[in-house]
Amino acid sequence: MPELPEVETIRLSLLPLIRGKRIQGLKTYTEEVLENPHELDLKGREIRDLARKGKYLRLLFEGAELMIHLRMTGKLLHRAAGESKTENPHIRAELDLDDGSCLQFEDVRRFGRWKILRSPDEDRGYAQLGPDALSDDFDFESFACRLSRHKRSHVKAALLNQRVVAGLGNIYCDELLYRSRIRPDIRVDQVPPARLNVLFREMRPMLEEAVGLGGTSFRDYVDGLGKKGNFQLSLAVYRREGQACPSCGTKIEKTTVAGRGTRFCPRCQPEPRIKKGK
DNA sequence: GCCAGCCTGTTG
DNA sequence: CAACAGGCTGGC
């Protein structure tokens, strides 16, 4: 479910409520949610920070961390002390804090994972991440370099690849390609370099706008306090197939790229012109 | 690279 | 009933 803006919104909503609290206990309600249950005991440890890279959340302690990936339907919800915890069959894990509050992990599809680590790079997926899309060390040069390792991929597939840039998922890839006027199903090496530059320059403002609006909510996604986001009101193409392009009025089309539902405006995102000569 | 698989729920 | 869903992994 959540991509960078949603995970960042969750992080911002939870941080002031949990920083400085100590862990009283960790409960799991399914076996598979916690990949390494016996690694380290978090009990008594103080939460120093809640960090994010790409779509990964990291609850940081001294000398240890709890890494959380929400995958498709995961939610991380703060319950204040005494707040009635409604019966919910999809709660997979719970972290109790020393002020009587807790963090509940709700995850209908059970793809989400918690992992206790000493260092984040013990997780293979995390270790391979490219730069976070909103980090300062994400510049055009490194972006172009990483993209060039996937010249023959569809440009959308390369953007979905978390080793190229960390944080983009299906929604924001489609929206970013629309804003950059690039068809999702052309090869990386078919994108004119000037277009790639536009794409890079559109990425940060789009993601910051989405964070500012609290992410995109269709049905599942809410932040750490159960609040919905509003970026769905800004979507130009995602889930808008058959409707009018906000720019030119052409009907938005839907196709499949990299195994994912993909929307684009056939007029605003045209096939690249064939170069004359060779 | 692509595609099935992981799960469950919703939608057509 | 089948197809699809905001992600990632592993096998070919």
Side-chain angles (χ1 to χ4, degrees), chain A residues 235-252:
Chain A
L235 297 175
V237 291
Y238 187 76
R239 289 219 175 169
R240 292 196 66 250
E241 59 268 29
Q243 299 180 50
C245 165
S247 168
C248 75
T250 303
K251 276 192 177 181
I252 301 300

Side-chain angles (χ1 to χ4, degrees), chain A residues 119-140:
Chain A
S119 150
D121 288 338
E122 290 167 26
D123 181 84
R124 204 165 57 84
Y126 186 94
Q128 292 181 342
L129 288 179
D132 182 84
L134 286 182
S135 69
D136 294 334
D137 57 330
F138 182 51
D139 55 27
F140 182 67

Side-chain angles (χ1 to χ4, degrees), chain A residues 22-36:
Chain A
R22 287 180 188 278
I23 304 304
Q24 209 155 64
L26 186 158
K27 297 180 205 133
T28 57
Y29 301 104
T30 66
E31 297 263 314
E32 72 279 3
V33 62
L34 190 62
E35 287 189 357
N36 53 351

Side-chain angles (χ1 to χ4, degrees), chain A residues 46-59:
Chain A
E46 180 190 343
I47 299 171
R48 294 293 173 86
D49 202 358
L50 180 59
R52 179 194 62 75
K53 182 173 182 181
K55 304 168 195 172
Y56 289 79
L57 277 172
R58 301 165 59 207
L59 207 51

Side-chain angles (χ1 to χ4, degrees), chain A residues 2 55-57 67-71 105 107 111-114:
Chain A
K55 304 168 195 172
Y56 289 79
L57 277 172
M67 182 176 280
I68 299 175
H69 200 302
L70 305 168
R71 295 286 183 100
F105 182 50
D107 184 21
F111 291 167
R113 290 292 179 268
W114 284 17

